[in-house]
Amino acid sequence: MMRDVTQQTQQPRRTMLLDTASLYFRAYFGVPESVKAPDGTPVNAVRGLLEFIDRLVRDHRPDDLVACMDADWRPQWRVDLIPSYKAHRVAARTGSGPDEEEVPDTLSSQVPVIEEVLDALGITRVGVAGYEADDVIGTFAGRATGPVDIVTGDRDLYQLVDDARGVRVLYPLKGVGTLQVTDEAWLRERYGVDGPGYADLALLRGDPSDGLPGVPGIGEKTAAKLLAEFGDLAGIMAAVDDPKAGLTPSRRKRLDESRPYVSVAPKVVKVAGDVPLPQVDTALPHTPRDPAALDALAARWGLGGSLKRLLSTLAVRGGPEGHWNEG
């Protein structure tokens, strides 16, 4: 009996966007360095990431998959607005391009291998000069016409959660086998805000890991309370100018004194949605793009079962035009 392909092609495509650096950092710290290539080079991050992708594809069945990359992990336009932005993570200043991020030596040497393996597999990799992976993710998510799963260990991307559009964040709690599915209900339960509200909360609270000072004296609970009362950041700042608004004198003073920070922080904290993305085929591959290159990489780096399992999953799950086979 012929299959009804018309109904199949009309189903919305599910997109999975990987915060690739976040995942290979987790793989690096989660898989022992004793996992090595034949020449003794650690490949724990490479093999761990392949295992992550295998599990994610098996469990969540995306039609489209993009490995989003940091072409610039600390964009100058963000630094110009808040000089402390990620400053503590700079290993070396280049003067003619992105500063070098502080990364363990045995991880930094694995990143080019990860990129080569993804390319040989045919998993689309996208990084755009002047932007972080978060911005690439935000732009892809904004353009998607179907549901979107964002896989990241970075809570900053909670701001993209949007139930109406089916955008959720899958946050790894243990490997990627245990994921926190972050939707609007979870955000309201945990923080009292929706997706866009999370950006305002993070801005007010600050984030030492990103070098964002926040507003002194405004922690997470206070930020959530202010947002619940005044709606958003603009509403809070309008209340500062309204003597009748229910702000304590100390909060009014701290917010007023933080105007220089509050005026520029939204552009730094909020994920860009207008990144000039390249034209790419994001369909999940079911066969390697470059089998010969992949074979050579597998032999050189001893990718073994990690790669074989992913290839098997792609062959079973992937199909023409990125649709899923039932068999």
Side-chain angles (χ1 to χ4, degrees):
M1 186 173 70
M2 292 183 65
R3 298 180 66 183
D4 183 1
V5 296
T6 302
Q7 184 178 5
Q8 183 184 32
T9 56
Q10 290 177 344
Q11 293 175 349
R13 294 173 67 83
R14 177 171 292 278
T15 299
M16 177 171 282
L17 304 172
L18 306 180
D19 183 0
T20 312
S22 169
L23 294 179
Y24 65 60
F25 264 93
R26 282 179 176 251
Y28 174 78
F29 289 108
V31 178
E33 277 195 27
S34 57
V35 176
K36 296 182 178 180
D39 67 359
T41 304
V43 289
N44 52 328
V46 183
R47 291 189 59 162
L49 180 64
L50 293 175
E51 290 166 6
F52 282 179
I53 295 173
D54 173 51
R55 182 67 183 264
L56 290 165
V57 170
R58 282 192 287 117
D59 289 355
H60 300 283
R61 303 169 70 113
D63 298 296
D64 295 276
L65 179 67
V66 184
C68 301
M69 313 295 290
D70 283 317
D72 190 340
W73 67 279
R74 188 175 181 248
Q76 189 60 44
W77 55 272
R78 282 191 165 108
V79 176
D80 288 344
L81 294 169
I82 299 181
S84 63
Y85 183 66
K86 295 185 178 179
H88 61 294
R89 288 154 56 181
V90 175
R93 300 190 184 278
T94 63
S96 59
D99 292 331
E100 292 182 18
E101 186 177 11
E102 192 171 1
V103 177
D105 290 342
T106 52
L107 172 57
S108 59
S109 62
Q110 295 184 60
V111 175
V113 181
I114 288 169
E115 294 175 346
E116 289 182 74
V117 172
L118 292 176
D119 291 348
L121 279 166
I123 292 175
T124 298
R125 222 173 25 89
V126 178
V128 178
Y131 294 95
E132 300 177 56
D134 287 9
D135 303 312
V136 174
I137 289 169
T139 305
F140 269 116
R143 294 183 184 181
T145 56
V148 178
D149 287 333
I150 298 166
V151 188
T152 180
D154 184 353
R155 293 183 177 88
D156 291 344
L157 288 169
Y158 286 173
Q159 64 183 274
L160 298 176
V161 168
D162 184 342
D163 285 2
R165 298 189 57 248
V167 180
R168 60 184 186 172
V169 169
L170 306 180
Y171 184 91
L173 298 174
K174 185 177 181 182
V176 292
T178 305
L179 295 169
Q180 172 189 287
V181 178
T182 306
D183 57 12
E184 288 185 15
W186 189 91
L187 281 177
R188 288 194 178 96
E189 174 70 21
R190 175 65 178 82
Y191 297 104
V193 297
D194 59 7
Y198 186 83
D200 286 345
L201 181 143
L203 181 158
L204 290 164
R205 174 197 63 197
D207 186 349
S209 68
D210 280 343
L212 296 173
V215 176
I218 305 292
E220 188 168 282
K221 290 182 180 179
T222 301
K225 182 179 178 181
L226 291 171
L227 289 167
E229 186 170 355
F230 299 108
D232 56 17
L233 181 65
I236 292 170
M237 298 312 292
V240 175
D241 294 325
D242 180 1
K244 296 180 181 180
L247 283 172
T248 65
S250 62
R251 287 176 188 163
R252 189 185 302 275
K253 182 174 185 292
R254 286 167 175 163
L255 286 162
D256 185 47
E257 291 174 347
S258 296
R259 284 182 193 274
Y261 164 74
V262 171
S263 67
V264 298
K267 188 172 181 182
V268 176
V269 173
K270 291 182 180 179
V271 169
D274 57 353
V275 174
L277 299 176
Q279 292 293 321
V280 290
D281 180 3
T282 61
L284 184 80
H286 62 285
T287 57
R289 177 182 293 147
D290 191 337
L294 193 60
D295 286 345
L297 288 164
R300 179 179 178 186
W301 300 109
L303 302 182
S306 302
L307 180 59
K308 288 179 182 178
R309 284 187 289 274
L310 176 55
L311 287 171
S312 176
T313 295
L314 293 175
V316 170
R317 300 300 191 186
E321 300 177 0
H323 292 292
W324 291 85
N325 293 329
E326 297 298 327

